[in-house]
């Protein structure tokens, strides 16, 4: 059984600014918190910027409840001045397929249209995971909008 979740929003920041932050594990960790925590399983921890390829992580619900190991498998295509996309075709113990695509497009000089789309396969748990994914991506997008309103201060330490 496969399910899909698609959620979109407008972020009040230029596409170039959103793109720069999207490429960092710091953004993922911020927008997912406190619903999901990520701890790198790689030697040396998280890179400053995501490189294409697999990244092994531990996932924690609410920052402390172990969800087990997960692979974040990053890829992206050619980006333009108007469109950016990143794909995480990851998997874990409970979820056999978590194929997440982020697409961002310029919506004017200081606005970005942001879309999360994820295809999920989790056996009998698929409907439950789908419902959670819808909540989770709404939460992430709200955190994105808050970061943009603050000038992304939480990611720069200032």
């Amino acid at each position: 059984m496969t399910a899909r979740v698609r959620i979109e929003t407008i972020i009040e920041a230029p596409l170039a600014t959103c793109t720069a932050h999207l490429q960092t594990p710091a953004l993922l960790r911020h927008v997912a918190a406190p619903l999901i925590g990520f701890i790198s399983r790689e030697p040396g921890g998280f890179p400053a910027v995501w490189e294409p390829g697999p990244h092994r992580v531990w996932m924690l619900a609410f920052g402390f409840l172990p969800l087990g190991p997960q692979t974040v498998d990053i890829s992206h295509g050619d980006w333009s001045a108007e469109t950016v996309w990143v794909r995480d075709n990851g998997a874990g113990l409970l979820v056999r397929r978590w194929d997440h695509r982020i697409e961002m497009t310029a919506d004017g000089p200081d606005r970005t249209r942001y879309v999360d789309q994820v295809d999920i396969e989790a056996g009998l748990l698929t409907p439950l995971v789908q419902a959670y994914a819808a909540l989770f991506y709404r939460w992430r997008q709200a955190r994105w909008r808050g970061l943009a309103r603050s000038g992304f201060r939480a990611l720069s330490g200032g």
Side-chain angles (χ1 to χ4, degrees):
M1 173 188 303
T2 300
R4 175 173 282 175
V5 172
R6 180 181 166 86
I7 312 281
E8 74 177 69
T9 193
I10 297 293
I11 299 171
E12 299 292 337
L15 177 61
T17 301
C18 292
T19 300
H21 289 295
L22 177 64
Q23 297 178 70
T24 68
L27 178 108
L28 170 64
R29 296 177 78 196
H30 182 85
V31 298
L35 297 181
I36 298 288
F38 293 90
I39 300 171
S40 177
R41 295 171 46 218
E42 301 293 341
F46 284 109
V49 174
W50 290 116
E51 293 291 332
H55 302 270
R56 299 173 310 141
V57 300
W58 286 105
M59 289 180 51
L60 303 168
F62 309 109
F64 68 90
L65 183 65
L67 295 175
Q70 175 85 12
T71 298
V72 176
D73 193 357
I74 303 289
S75 63
H76 58 78
D78 293 332
W79 294 348
S80 72
E82 299 298 318
T83 302
V84 169
W85 67 266
V86 172
R87 179 181 183 204
D88 166 19
N89 192 17
L93 292 177
L94 296 176
V95 180
R96 288 189 295 271
R97 180 175 176 221
W98 186 272
D99 190 355
H100 177 215
R101 182 178 166 110
I102 297 169
E103 185 173 309
M104 299 188 305
T105 54
D107 192 48
D110 295 320
R111 289 168 43 110
T112 300
R113 180 171 304 280
Y114 178 99
V115 178
D116 283 302
Q117 179 175 296
V118 64
D119 292 324
I120 300 161
E121 289 179 19
L124 295 174
L125 295 176
T126 298
L128 181 63
V129 174
Q130 179 185 25
Y132 179 80
L135 170 74
F136 178 65
Y137 286 117
R138 282 183 178 87
W139 172 257
R140 279 177 44 127
Q141 290 182 8
R143 298 275 287 175
W144 259 102
R145 291 189 306 267
L147 276 171
R149 281 192 302 274
S150 75
F152 295 90
R153 271 194 304 277
L155 300 181
S156 64

